[in-house]
Amino acid sequence: MSANSLSYNEQGGAESAVEVGLESTPTSSGAGAGAGADLREMLESTKESLKLEAMKRIVGLIARGKNASELFPAVVKNVASKNIELKKLVYVYLVRYAEEQQDLALLSISTFQRALKDPNQLIRASALRVLSSIRVPIIVPIMMLAIKEAATDLSPYVRKTAAHAIQKLYSLDADQKEQLIEVIEKLLKDKSTLVAGSVVMAFEEVCPDRIDLIHKNYRKLCNLLVDVEEWGQVVIISMLTRYARTQFISPWKEDGIFDENSEQAFYESDEEKLGTPQSKPYIMDPDHRLLLRNTKPLLQSRNTAVVMSVAQLYWHLAPKQEVGVITKSLVRLLRSHREVQYIVLQNIATMSIQQKGIFEPFMKSFYVRSTDPTHIKTLKLEILTNLANEANISTILREFQTYVKSQDKAFAAATIQAIGRCATNITDVTDTCLNGLVLLLSNRDETVVAESVVVIKKLLQTQPTQHSEIIKHMAKLFDNITVPMARASILWLIGEYCERVPKIAPDVLRKMAKTFTVEEDIVKLQTVNLAAKLYLTNSKQTKLLTQYILNLGKYDQSYDIRDRTRFIRQLIVPNEKSGALSKYARRILLASKPAPMLESTFKDRDRFQLGTLSHTINSKATGYLELSDWPTAAPDSSVRNVEVMEPVKEWVPSMGKTKPLKSDDKFYSDSGEEEGAGEEGTGSSSEDSSSSSSSSSSNEGKLYGLNSKHSEETDSSQSDKSSGHSDKKKADKKKRLQLKKKAKKAAPKERYQMHRPPTHHPLTQELWNLRTFTPKMAYTHTGKKKNRKQMVALFLCVQVSSPVFVPMSSHELLHRMTGKGLAAQYHFPRQPCIYGNKMVSVQLTLTNSSDHTLEDISIGEKTSSGQNIHRFSSIERLEPGASVTVSMGIDFNDSTQAANFQLCTKEDQFSVSIQPVVGELFLPVTMTEQDFRKEQGKLQGMNETSATITMAPENTSNQALSKKMVSVANMGVVPTGEDSLYRFAAKSVSSGDLVLVSVDLTDSSSGRLTINTEKTVIGSMLLRDLKTALAQP
Amino acid sequence: MIHSLFLINSSSDIFLEKHWKSVISRSVCDYFFEVQEKAGEAENVPPVIHAGHHYLINIYREKIFFVSVIQSEVPPLFVIEFLHHVAETFQDYFGECSESAIKDNVVIVYELLEEMLDNGFPLATESNILKELIKPPNILRSVVNSITGSCNVGETLPTGQLSTIPWRRAGVKYTNNEAYFDVVEEIDAILDKTGSVVFAEIQGVIDACVNLTGMPDLTLSFMNPRLLDDVSFHPCVRFKRWESERVLSFIPPDGNFRLLSYHVSAQNLVAIPIYVKQNISFFETGSSGRLDITVGPKQTMGKTVEAVFVTINMPKVVLSANLTATQGNYTYNPVTKTLVWDIGKLSQQKLPNLKGSLTLQCGAPKPEESPSLNIDLKIQQLAISGLKVNRLDMYGEKYKPFKGVKYVSKAGKFQVRT
C-alpha cells in the first residue's frame, strides 16, 4: 500500500501513513501503516455508512492538523456520492488538499460542472463554492465561465456564491481582473439584498479604486442597506464611507477649526455663522444626506461591528454637530465582551481627543473596575484624561486617587502619568496635582514612587520658579529610591535647578561619586550631566568631585558613557586644546529647555480611518485603503442618477395613473441632465455599454436590446461549440466509461496511471467537452432521475417566492398643487403584505413641498369604495422639504377597481385613489415544470385565454423576454426544459388562485401567449397588458 | 478576510484548525504564545496581535482561545463579533462550548465552520438557517443515523436564506403555541467606601422563547417605554414602528433569541437593592488583619433578595482566613486568593454578618489597598428599572397562543470599593 502511495506522493507518503496510523482509534485495529489502509478500505467499500465513518475520521485528522493527503485518490472517488453528508465531507477534504494534488483534483472537476447545472440551487451553489475553492490554476478558465454563468443565475443565493468566487479567482490569478470587474459590475446592479454585501466585498478586494462603478448603484445600496445581512452591512458602509469622501464636499466648517483640539472653538464658530451669514452657505448634497439618514437606524443593531462602522461613518462624514448621535450606541457597546470593549475604547480614545464634548456626559461609563483587564483599564484612563476639563477635573482626580491605590501596579503607574497630563492641560489644578504626587513619593511601592518622580520632573519643568521645596524633598528621598529612571530624573532635576538648591546639589553629587560604578547607565549619564552643570555654576566646591567622576566615566564599560565623558571633559575643562566651543559651555548645558508636552498616545491615531485594523495596531496594515480628503469642488452629482425603470408608464398608459417622472428627477438633479450625459461620454469609457446608454437616453428598449444581443451572442457561441465537438464528446464519454469499468477491476496503482493525463492540457480539454455535454447526461444518468423525483416531491407545495423583479416606478397620488403643498406618490414594492395576507402592499412617499410644517398626516376613516385598507400610522410632523415613506396594505379583491380614500392633514382632507395595474395583484410562486403542467391541465377550457402575439425583435431572447414579462406582472419564472417555451406562475393576492402564463414562440417574431386561471377577468386583462408590452421594443 | 482559525486550550495545545483559503502553518501561533506568556493571565492577552505578515485576532471564551489569522485590512470588530458568534453557535449546538464538546463533535464543528464562512466571509450565520443546514446532535438521532445511515445534513436551501425574513424558517408547526418573554435586568454599580453611589446604571435584555406555528406577527408594547434610553434590536424588529409608536413589532425567529437589549441611563436614579457595611483592615505588625462585613436589604420594592454572593479578591499576601458567618458559608481559595461568601436569601430581621481574622504572609509589608467587594444577587419578579410589558398581540395567525412574561433583576458588575 505504501508503495502505491509513493507512486504519486513520494515525499510525504510514508511519513503521513505513520501519522494517520498514530491517530487511529482503538477500534481500527492494527498499528502503523495499517490504519491508513483501513480507512482506504472503508472508503472503497460499497456501504455508504462505512464510507461516511471513514470520512468523518479523516475530517477529524484534518481538524487536528494531521496530514491525510495520501488518501486523496480514495477520497476523490466519492465526490459524486449521492449521500449529501458524505459529499460535503469530501468537499471539505478536496478544498484542503486539492492544491497539493492538482492532477488528481482535476478528476473531480467534471462532477462539479455537472452539479452547476443542477435544478437545485443549493447544489449549484455548493458546486460553485468548491470549484472556486480548490486552488488549481489550470481550471481558471473553467472557473471564469462558471462565475459568469452563476452571476446571471435566477437564484440570488447562487449569485451570492458567484460574488464570493470572484475574490477566490482573483487571488488565484490576478490576470483575470478585467473580466472579473465586468462580472462585478453586473452583480453590483443586482437588487437582491443577499448579493449586495458579497459583491461589495468582491469590489473592495478586486478593484477598490473603480469608484465609477458605484455611482449608478449608490442610491440603491443606500436604500437596501437596512435589509442586507449584518456582515454585508459592515462592508458596504465602509465602502460608502470611502466613496462619500471622494464625491461630496466637506460638511465641516471652512475655517478648519477642528485640528485645534478644542470643541469650544467649534461652538463659537457655529455661533459666528449664525450671526453673520456666510457668503456661500453650505448645502449638503441630497445623496450625502441619504447615506447619513439610512445608516442611522443601524446604530441600533445588535451586531457591534455594524454599530462601530456606522459610528466611523458619522465621524468621517457627518457635520460635526450631528456626530453626537453615535456616542450612546458606542457607550452601549462597552457592555459587550472584553475584546469588543478593547476595540471600542480605542476608537473612543481617538475621538475624545478631537471632540471631548460628545463623550463628556458619559464620563462615568469609563470608570475603572478592579476586575477589568489591564489593557482595558489603561484605555479607560486614557479616555478619562482626554475628557478632563475645568468643570470635571475634581471628580476625575478623586476617581484617580482610588486608582493609584490599585493592586495592579502597572495601572497605578499609568494613573500617575494621567494625573501629570491633567496637571499640564488644566493649569488650575497643577498645584493640587503636584502636591498629590509629592504625597505619593512616600508610597511604599517602588513603581508608584518612581513614576511619580518622573511625572513631577516633567511638571516642574513647566513652572520651575517656585518649587525648590519639592526638589529638596526629592533629594532627601534619593537614597531610598532604587528605580533607575526615577534616580536619573531626580539627578536631572537637581542639575537643572542646581542654583535653587545650592547646598544640596554638591552633596548629592558626593553621594553619587561613591556609588557611581554600581549604577545603571542611565543614572551614570545623568551623574556626569549633574557634575558638568555643577562645575559650571559652583566650581569651587565641586571641581575635584567632577574630575573624579569624569575619570570614572573614562574607564566605564559602556562606550556611551565613555563618549559622553570625553565630550563633557572637552567642553567644560579649559585646557590648551579646547576650541571655541568651551566658551559657550554654559550656554549649551544650562540653556533653558522647553517644557515637555504630555500628550495622549492616541494623538496621531486619527490619520487612520476609525474602526480599521490599522487604527488598532497604529500602523498601516496590508490592504489598508486611505480615506481621501474631501474634494474642494463637488464632483458632478448627476453621475448617480439612475434612469427610473418605467415599464408600466410606457407600455400601458391606460392602466394606472401616468406618473410624472419629473418630480423624481427634480429631487435629484434639476440642472445637469445634459451635463451629465456629456460627462458620461468622456468620463466612463470603461463602463459597459448598457449602463452608459441608460443614463444618456431614456429609451428602455435600447437597454434591453443591448442585453439581448449580448446573450444571443453567448448562446450562439455555445451552441457552436457543442455542435462542433459533439461527435468527439460521445467518443470521449464512451472511452471514459470503459476506462472506469476497467479501472474498477484493476489494481489501484494501475488505475491512477491510466487516469493520469500525460500533460495538463488535454485533460482540461476533455473537461471542457464534458461541460458542454452535461445537459444530455443529466437525463440519461439514472442517479439524476432519482434526484429529480426528489426535487418534485420537495416542491409540490407551491411556495410564494420573493419577487424576481421590482419596478422602481412610482405613481402620483396627490399633486402638490392640489394637496396644498402635500405631495404623495405610491409605489408597489411587490412584497407580501405584512398587515394581512390578502392585501397588496403599497408604499407611499409623502413629501412636504410647502413652506410650513404639516401635522397629523393620516388616512381618513371612511373609504368610498368597499376595499379593506390597512392604514399607516399617522405621521405627527412633516417638516417643509422633508419626505417620509410609509407602507400600507390594500385588499383590492383581485380587481383593478380603484381604491378611494382620503388623505388627511390637520387642516385638510384630500380625496385620492389608487388604481392598481393588474400585474400588481399577484404574488410570484415557484413551482417545477411538472407541477406547472399538472396545474395547467386542471385549468383548461373556459379558464384558458390565449392570443397570438407579435414580438418586437428585441424581446425574443430568453432574458429579455423574462425581464419584460416580470416587469409587467409580479410573476415567478418556472424553469423549463424547452427552448422556445417560457412559463411564469403567480397567484392572485386576495383569493390565492393560480395564474399560469406560458409563451410559446413559433418563430423569432411571433408566438402564442396562453394564460390559465380561474380568474378569467384578470386573465384577459393580463393578456392584453402582456401583449402590448411584448409588442413594444 | 478571516484566513484561518485555530482553537487553543489553556495548556497551549492547538486542538483544532480550519483554513478557508490556502493553508497557513500553525507555527504562526508562536507569536500568540509569546504574547500570552508575557500577558500572564488569559484576560490580559490583547485581542489584536501583529505577527509578522499576519495579524492574529483572538477572543478568549470558556477557557478556549479562538485565534483567527488575518492577512489584510479588516475591521477588527467584524472578526471579534464573528468569533463570538462561532462560540455561541457551538454553545447552541452542543450545550456547552468546551474543548471536550468540540472534540467530540469535530465533524459537526467542521461542517458548521464550512457553512458559516466562505472564503473568509460570513455566509450563513443565523442560527435558524444553520439548524436547517446541519442538524444539531442528539442521542436519538445519532442512534437512528448509525442504523439507517441517514445523515444530519439538510438537503435543501433553507427558505429563510432567500426570503425577506431570513431569521425564520417556513412551515413551523407546534401543537402548543407559546411565547415567553424574560425581562432580565442587571445593575452595574460602583459604591464607594461610605456606601454612596459613584456610578450606577441598568442594562436590560428581553430574551424570548417563541414556539408559534406559521408566520405570526407580534406586537409587544410597554407601559413605560420612555424609560429605555438606548436600545439595540434583533434584526426582526421593525425600527420605524419603534421610532414612531414605541412598540416592538416583529415576526419572531423560531425558538430562543434575544429580542432587545436596552440601557436605562445613569441620569435616572437607580435603586440599589442592598447595602454593605464593610471593614477590612490589616495590622502594621503581627501579619494579620481583620474583616467584618454586614449585608442588608435596601430598596427592594417589597421583594426578597436571593442568591447573594460576596466575592473578594484578596491581596497576594493573605494566606488564610478564619471567619464566622451568621448566615450562609464562606470559602477562601489560597491559590487564587478569592474569598467567596455565599449568603443565600436576605431577610429583614437578621442581617447576615461575616467576621474574623485574616492571616498574612510573615514579614511581608501590609497591603497598600484593601480589596474591593464584588456582589452578586438576584430578585425574582421585579425589573428594577420599573419597566413593565403592557401587552402582546399576535396578527397573521388564527390560533390563540399562550403568553408569558417573567421579570428578573440581577447584579451585573456590582462593586463596592473599600
Side-chain angles (χ1 to χ4, degrees), chain A residues 946-973:
Chain A
S946 64
T948 321
I949 47 167
T950 42
M951 309 253 293
E954 288 91 336
N955 293 337
T956 47
S957 83
N958 181 352
Q959 259 190 333
L961 184 107
S962 304
K963 210 161 184 179
K964 202 100 197 181
M965 296 287 280
V966 296
S967 60
V968 173
N970 192 8
M971 298 185 291
V973 183

Side-chain angles (χ1 to χ4, degrees), chain A residues 58-66 68 92-93 96-97, chain B residues 17 110:
Chain A
I58 293 171
V59 167
L61 291 179
I62 297 175
R64 268 171 291 169
K66 304 290 181 215
V92 168
Y93 184 91
R96 172 70 180 76
Y97 287 113
Chain B
E17 64 177 66
Y110 239 68

